[in-house]
Amino acid sequence: MTSLQHPEAIRHFQALCDACQELTSRYHGPSELRLYADGYLHALRRTGDLDPRELSKLETLIERWILDPSSFIGPDGDVSALYRHPNQY
């Protein structure tokens, strides 16, 4: 498993996870989370704040994390309603 060692990379991972969980609680799906994460990671690449190896590890972890539905808690803690607004059938 790829693991982050750099404290700044860990902070970015946590910030991305928190933001994606917030988006999920507002019924955004995996494709929208991926777009958000791609933008975040692109900004990190542009700033050059992270070592390229750490950035690569971060990208790999985020990709796996977003694709794993068990990473998220549905609105009101209901996993069955994950990504689905209550007004949808």
Side-chain angles (χ1 to χ4, degrees), residues 3 10-12 23-24 26 32 40-42 60 65-66 68 70 75 83:
S3 64
I10 294 167
R11 281 191 279 280
H12 284 295
L23 289 169
T24 300
R26 291 186 277 149
E32 294 164 312
Y40 190 103
L41 294 168
H42 176 73
T60 301
W65 186 78
I66 286 175
D68 183 0
S70 69
Y83 313 126

Side-chain angles (χ1 to χ4, degrees), residues 3 7 9 15 17 19 21 45 56 59 64 70 73 76 78 80-81 85:
S3 64
C17 291
Q21 183 60 56
R45 279 190 296 279
S56 178
E59 290 171 341
R64 280 193 227 154
S70 69
I73 301 169
D76 302 322
D78 183 7
S80 68
H85 195 276

